[in-house]
Amino acid sequence: SQTIHQWPATLVQPVGSPLSLECTVEGTSNPNLYWYRQAAGRGLQLLFYSVGIGQISSEVPQNLSASRPQDRQFILSSKKLLLSDSGFYLCASSDRPGGHGYTFGSGTRLTVV
Amino acid sequence: KQEVTQIPAALSVPEGENLVLNCSFTDSAIYNLQWFRQDPGKGLTSLLLIQSSQREQTSGRLNASLDKSSGRSTLYIAASQPGDSATYLCAVSPTTSGTYKYIFGTGTRLKVLA
């Protein structure tokens, strides 16, 4: 079964600083990968998804970008963080049809100060 | 635009009680619906997945039903235990997504009192 590694678990960054969050997946190949954000008091929102290396789709306009340099590596980045980027970021992987095998990482709590 | 609503937002019950969590969605064109559990500060764990052609799924003390035409799902938890305390999230995958993207509700925060 899939295992998702996300790091760091918590991060405090000043406004205007860069960001790089990494997600790696074990136990599968060629999964679909997703970045979600959970803001305080709001539901999970899909930010990006990828169906293969170098293939990134953005769901909402924002200050963030994503990249997939390897099959099981998904990176979320920003050149200059905003206060509104604060939230709980979750990486997810899906490796089976029908929505089965949808696995989430343990998340990164980002606070922009 | 698909929207997912969960009621109630929070629920506190004594141990042993049977309970029902509700989820509604505005567009019935879905591949499937999943119920997830989230413990504080943690990721999500999938509990039950119901395909659009199914009416219900069961796993242990959990039973989820789906009425796609009315845009509703319920999660039934039997004989609740303190270990069931968590936030329960309902999510639907629209048929337009193609990659099983999910749209989530804001969750029901459950507390089971010993």
Side-chain angles (χ1 to χ4, degrees):
Chain A
S1 61
Q2 303 177 85
T3 302
I4 297 182
H5 301 282
Q6 261 190 267
W7 66 92
T10 59
L11 191 60
V12 179
Q13 292 284 96
V15 169
S17 64
L19 172 75
S20 180
L21 301 182
E22 188 162 343
C23 167
T24 59
V25 184
E26 290 182 355
T28 188
S29 60
N30 197 32
N32 290 339
L33 298 176
Y34 310 83
W35 277 111
Y36 286 87
R37 177 171 61 199
Q38 190 172 38
R42 301 182 63 181
L44 274 165
Q45 181 184 38
L46 179 64
L47 303 177
F48 300 95
Y49 69 92
S50 171
V51 299
I53 295 173
Q55 301 180 61
I56 308 294
S57 296
S58 174
E59 285 294 294
V60 293
Q62 59 201 301
N63 183 43
L64 302 168
S65 62
S67 61
R68 185 171 178 176
Q70 300 179 43
D71 180 46
R72 290 172 289 176
Q73 184 185 29
F74 205 23
I75 298 171
L76 184 69
S77 305
S78 173
K79 292 181 179 179
K80 290 185 178 182
L81 284 169
L82 306 172
L83 286 173
S84 58
D85 292 324
S86 294
F88 191 50
Y89 289 83
L90 287 158
C91 177
S93 172
S94 174
D95 67 349
R96 284 185 274 161
H100 293 280
Y102 215 90
T103 303
F104 280 85
S106 54
T108 294
R109 173 76 59 191
L110 171 66
T111 304
V112 183
V113 297
Chain B
K1 178 185 174 186
Q2 178 74 271
E3 293 183 2
V4 181
T5 303
Q6 290 187 246
I7 295 174
L11 185 62
S12 186
V13 299
E15 182 177 7
E17 196 161 296
N18 301 325
L19 53 99
V20 175
L21 307 182
N22 296 293
C23 171
S24 61
F25 47 96
T26 55
D27 188 344
S28 62
I30 62 171
Y31 278 127
N32 59 52
L33 180 148
Q34 285 204 59
W35 283 93
F36 292 88
R37 168 184 172 140
Q38 185 177 29
D39 292 286
K42 304 291 185 182
L44 279 66
T45 301
S46 178
L47 298 173
L48 289 165
L49 183 153
I50 309 177
Q51 299 294 352
S52 62
S53 58
Q54 297 175 322
R55 297 284 293 183
E56 66 178 330
Q57 282 288 327
T58 298
S59 176
R61 295 183 292 109
L62 305 179
N63 175 276
S65 67
L66 174 64
D67 184 342
K68 196 176 73 164
S69 60
S70 66
R72 293 181 182 178
S73 176
T74 61
L75 178 66
Y76 176 82
I77 302 177
S80 58
Q81 302 171 357
D84 295 330
S85 299
T87 296
Y88 290 81
L89 296 162
C90 167
V92 298
S93 181
T95 53
T96 54
S97 71
T99 58
Y100 301 105
K101 298 178 289 185
Y102 280 93
I103 297 173
F104 283 81
T106 52
T108 293
R109 193 169 60 254
L110 172 66
K111 187 168 185 179
V112 181
L113 305 171

